[in-house]
Amino acid sequence: MMHPEGCREFELICVIVNFGMGSKIIKHAKQHGVTGGTIFLGKGTIRNTLLAFLELNEVRREIVVMAAEKTTAREAMQQLNDKFRFDKANRGIVFSTGIVSVLGAEMLACDQPNESEGMGDAMHQAIMVIVDRGKAEEVIEAATEAGSRGGTIINARGSGIHETSTLFAMEIEPEKEIVLIISENHQTKAIAATIREKLHIDEPGNGIIFIQNVTQTFGLH
């Protein structure tokens, strides 16, 4: 995969853990070079008749999303496994995926490559935009203006280097929204650029955009 001159290779780390563990995951990852992350809530399922009878079969999970340069990501994932032992049952899951482009994070900045670079056989790309709560609709509007047919909004909370404030010695993590947009690859550049401009993504604290290749899709018309 070709990269523009000076553009490093990045990966998106996803960690799925029990509720309450997300902040610990980010804190440990920061000790190994990851600059921050975003946590959103999920729900796991357990197929157990007794637990279902007791209404305890819906297990809350936290999904932690972090980005880092490839070698840093691999090292952080190993350190996370050494600390939290994901190789043991019911401890959680950690995996990583490649990122074509990162916009809006000064320490990770990597502009969109040329349309022919880094796509392989991908016909679509996933644009993930993380912004402060209340800004997601603006992201959707900007994307629609550039040709997107819509997106999905997910509530989350952030924990970046400069994003956490302190109140009475307690860390207050600002709430975030994640917008997920699937675009045809020839539209990605325009959509990302419009979001970047309208939301002032290049200004510190305004958000971050990740762009990834989508290898296969069903249900997109």
Side-chain angles (χ1 to χ4, degrees), residues 137-158:
E137 292 292 345
E138 294 180 35
V139 173
I140 295 292
E141 289 174 7
T144 302
E145 180 181 319
S148 171
R149 290 181 290 176
T152 300
I153 300 172
I154 305 165
N155 290 326
R157 57 190 176 91

Side-chain angles (χ1 to χ4, degrees), residues 3-8 10 109-110:
H3 296 274
E5 186 178 353
C7 181
R8 294 166 293 164
F10 295 94
C110 175

Side-chain angles (χ1 to χ4, degrees), residues 18-19 42-61:
N18 289 332
F19 181 81
K43 184 175 68 176
T45 59
I46 298 177
R47 295 184 178 180
N48 182 297
T49 304
L50 177 59
L51 289 178
F53 178 76
L54 297 174
E55 297 182 348
L56 296 174
N57 60 323
E58 293 187 352
V59 181
R60 286 195 297 174
R61 305 290 190 203

Side-chain angles (χ1 to χ4, degrees), residues 174-196:
E175 291 186 332
K176 300 290 183 183
E177 288 177 324
I178 299 172
V179 182
L180 178 60
I181 298 165
I182 305 299
S183 70
E184 294 183 23
N185 56 26
H186 65 87
Q187 292 182 305
T188 299
K189 191 171 184 178
I191 292 171
T194 304
I195 295 170
R196 185 180 191 177

